[in-house]
Amino acid sequence: MLKNKTIILGVCGGIAAYKAVELLRLLTRGGADVHVIMTRSAQEFIAPLTFQALSNHPVHTELFNLIGEDEIGHISLADRADLFLIVPATGNIIGKIAGGIADDMLTTTVMATTAPVLFAPAMNVNMYRNHLYQENEEKLRRHGYHFVAPVSGRLACGWEGEGKLAAPEAIFEAAVVALTPQDLAGRVILVTAGPTREELDPVRYISNHSSGKMGYALARAARHRGARVILVSGPTALPYPEGVEAVPVVSATDMLDAVMLHVDGCDAVIKAAAVADYRPEMRNGTKIKKQGDTISLELVKNPDILALLGSRERRPFLAGFAAETDNVGGNAEKKLTAKNLDMIIANDVSQEDAGFNVDTNRALLLFKEGGSHECELMTKDQLANVILDVISARLPTR
Ligand code: PMT
């Protein structure tokens, strides 16, 4: 996700400095090359060696140093950066940068960079609410600097309120957004994900093996690319991606209601959910007792959500999935036409490394206007971006 990206992580003196270590791990795990600059006060809280070991680079603490033979440290780092993160950002560093002061390695490098700069502030609640601080933040925002707002909670100083550093995962997500072209900004995309559960009684249900991974990858990628994302999700074990509007549902009829409630105003609907085609004719109010050697279930057809969307006069761009075990292209094409879709993503769910409950997928994309695009084995995150590339290019310009 962050492959080939160079990120400068500036760490300031605050009790939350230890959380910058966790952020560094997330960034390097995401593929980024991270260089750390620590202020003098930051070193009171945590030793540079920790960051050095985890980033695989020496930590920068002094302004007047050279990198290699003839590279001036702060200019070289500033030029190399794709993104600059300051975590935790103290009231002091924000005040200094807002005032144009550059008197140490961190402030000098920030001033010299043309990369986007993202602050994650952490401080006492009264410092955070102080007018001078707020004016400094406002000024920096006006000049195009980005912020990940602190959260409310119990602060290290004993006070309760805003000022707690945002979670490393939230800062990581904001970093990914800052590094991703915002081609879906202003768009609203509804994604369905996961299985549906059709209850037989209070303890049993009919369902399928969908984990939600494909739909969640789509929701996360669309969010990273700037879309407002509504994620209608059946029951899964996954955490909702940061920044999406999650609408939890259980059954196919719940999903139908949720989709119809949110579809107006959407630019695209992507239906990655594995919706049960049938449900028990009736749900028993109490647990069905064990009876003879066999038991028969009467099932009735569920509404086809995608087909209902396809039959609407005014409808958003519609992308369906086809989970197939044979004649993948042929069956998917029939669904594309029958449900009046703009595109369908066919996956062969009989393969071990594709389809249900794995991190990879391979797919055949078919389009309403004809033509197809074959995607070899790739991660679901990668496939999500390929699908969004297609949708982004096909959405009408506004
Ligand atoms: O969740 P994962 O573990 O990551 O697995 C991903 C996946 C295999 C579930 C996903 O890639 C996938 O193929 N999803 C569609 C599964 C499916 O229900 O396919 P289908 O061929 O039965 O349905 C075709 C399309 O109609 C689908 O977009 C489905 O959401 C939609 N549908 C189906 C039935 C119904 N009653 N209403 C619908 O809207």
Side-chain angles (χ1 to χ4, degrees):
M1 202 177 284
L2 297 175
K3 222 166 149 219
N4 301 325
K5 298 293 180 196
T6 300
I7 296 178
I8 311 297
L9 174 60
V11 184
C12 305
I15 196 77
Y18 75 95
K19 290 193 189 165
V21 176
E22 186 50 35
L23 176 63
L24 171 60
R25 290 172 72 97
L26 293 173
L27 295 168
T28 51
R29 223 179 283 152
D33 183 30
V34 186
H35 296 261
V36 178
I37 301 175
M38 295 180 79
T39 63
R40 191 154 299 161
S41 330
Q43 296 164 63
E44 298 287 334
F45 290 89
I46 195 154
L49 191 60
T50 308
F51 289 105
Q52 181 170 330
L54 292 171
S55 68
N56 269 324
H57 294 297
V59 171
H60 303 272
T61 53
E62 297 302 325
L63 174 55
F64 300 106
N65 74 339
L66 296 176
I67 297 178
E69 290 278 290
D70 53 2
E71 283 185 84
I72 301 169
H74 61 279
I75 302 296
S76 169
L77 277 180
D79 288 350
R80 260 190 251 170
D82 292 300
L83 176 68
F84 214 119
L85 295 175
I86 304 187
V87 183
T90 55
N92 177 53
I93 206 82
I94 288 166
K96 275 164 82 170
I97 294 170
I101 294 171
D103 64 351
D104 64 4
M105 181 65 179
L106 180 55
T107 48
T108 316
T109 316
V110 173
M111 190 174 268
T113 195
T114 54
V117 179
L118 181 66
F119 294 96
M123 64 196 77
N124 163 272
V125 57
N126 293 328
M127 285 173 78
Y128 183 66
R129 287 184 188 156
N130 186 298
H131 292 303
L132 292 173
Y133 170 79
Q134 289 297 330
E135 278 170 24
N136 288 335
E137 179 176 326
E138 209 276 315
K139 180 177 178 187
L140 287 170
R141 281 184 188 274
R142 240 186 308 120
H143 286 287
Y145 291 81
H146 305 276
F147 281 79
V148 183
V151 293
S152 279
R154 191 168 167 74
L155 305 173
C157 53
W159 281 75
E160 194 79 38
E162 311 134 281
K164 203 173 152 71
L165 185 72
E169 292 76 14
I171 303 170
F172 175 83
E173 288 295 315
V176 174
V177 170
L179 284 165
T180 307
Q182 299 292 287
D183 62 328
L184 294 175
R187 302 292 190 180
V188 185
I189 298 192
L190 189 152
V191 178
T192 69
T196 61
R197 280 183 189 168
E198 312 300 326
E199 294 195 352
L200 290 160
D201 67 16
V203 297
R204 304 180 181 97
Y205 54 80
I206 298 172
S207 191
N208 59 64
H209 294 297
S210 171
S211 61
K213 287 181 178 186
M214 190 65 245
Y216 280 47
L218 280 157
R220 190 165 41 246
R223 180 73 202 119
H224 289 165
R225 293 167 72 149
R228 182 184 148 212
V229 178
I230 302 163
L231 174 61
V232 178
S233 175
T236 77
L238 303 175
Y240 297 128
E242 198 73 41
V244 310
E245 295 163 38
V247 183
V249 296
V250 177
S251 66
T253 47
D254 291 346
M255 187 170 278
L256 171 70
D257 292 346
V259 169
M260 293 307 172
L261 188 67
H262 291 93
V263 69
D264 290 334
C266 285
D267 295 284
V269 172
I270 312 174
K271 285 218 76 253
V275 186
D277 288 323
Y278 294 89
R279 65 177 185 278
E281 187 181 31
M282 60 167 269
R283 178 189 183 276
N284 234 59
T286 54
K287 187 180 169 193
I288 300 168
K289 298 286 173 294
K290 197 192 290 180
Q291 298 156 17
D293 288 342
T294 59
I295 185 168
S296 298
L297 295 174
E298 196 71 20
L299 301 178
V300 294
K301 212 172 197 170
N302 269 327
D304 191 311
I305 306 166
L306 204 42
L308 286 170
L309 290 174
S311 67
R312 285 178 140 207
E313 204 173 311
R314 282 168 57 85
R315 62 173 188 73
F317 184 97
L318 290 181
F321 271 75
E324 304 296 341
T325 53
D326 59 294
N327 187 21
V328 176
N331 287 337
E333 192 149 14
K334 280 186 204 149
K335 288 177 185 172
L336 174 74
T337 313
K339 301 188 189 207
N340 190 26
L341 308 179
D342 295 292
M343 77 183 280
I344 195 153
I345 302 111
N347 42 194
D348 182 347
V349 293
S350 67
Q351 298 180 27
E352 269 185 16
D353 52 7
F356 290 111
N357 202 15
V358 284
D359 292 322
T360 49
N361 210 351
R362 60 166 77 72
L364 177 67
L365 278 47
L366 301 172
F367 309 109
K368 184 185 188 154
E369 66 275 16
S372 63
H373 177 72
E374 191 147 3
C375 300
E376 291 304 322
L377 188 70
M378 58 180 77
T379 65
K380 284 183 176 171
D381 286 325
Q382 288 168 330
L383 179 59
N385 274 305
V386 174
I387 294 166
L388 291 172
D389 286 344
V390 170
I391 294 176
S392 176
R394 281 171 164 75
L395 286 180
T397 43
R398 282 185 302 202

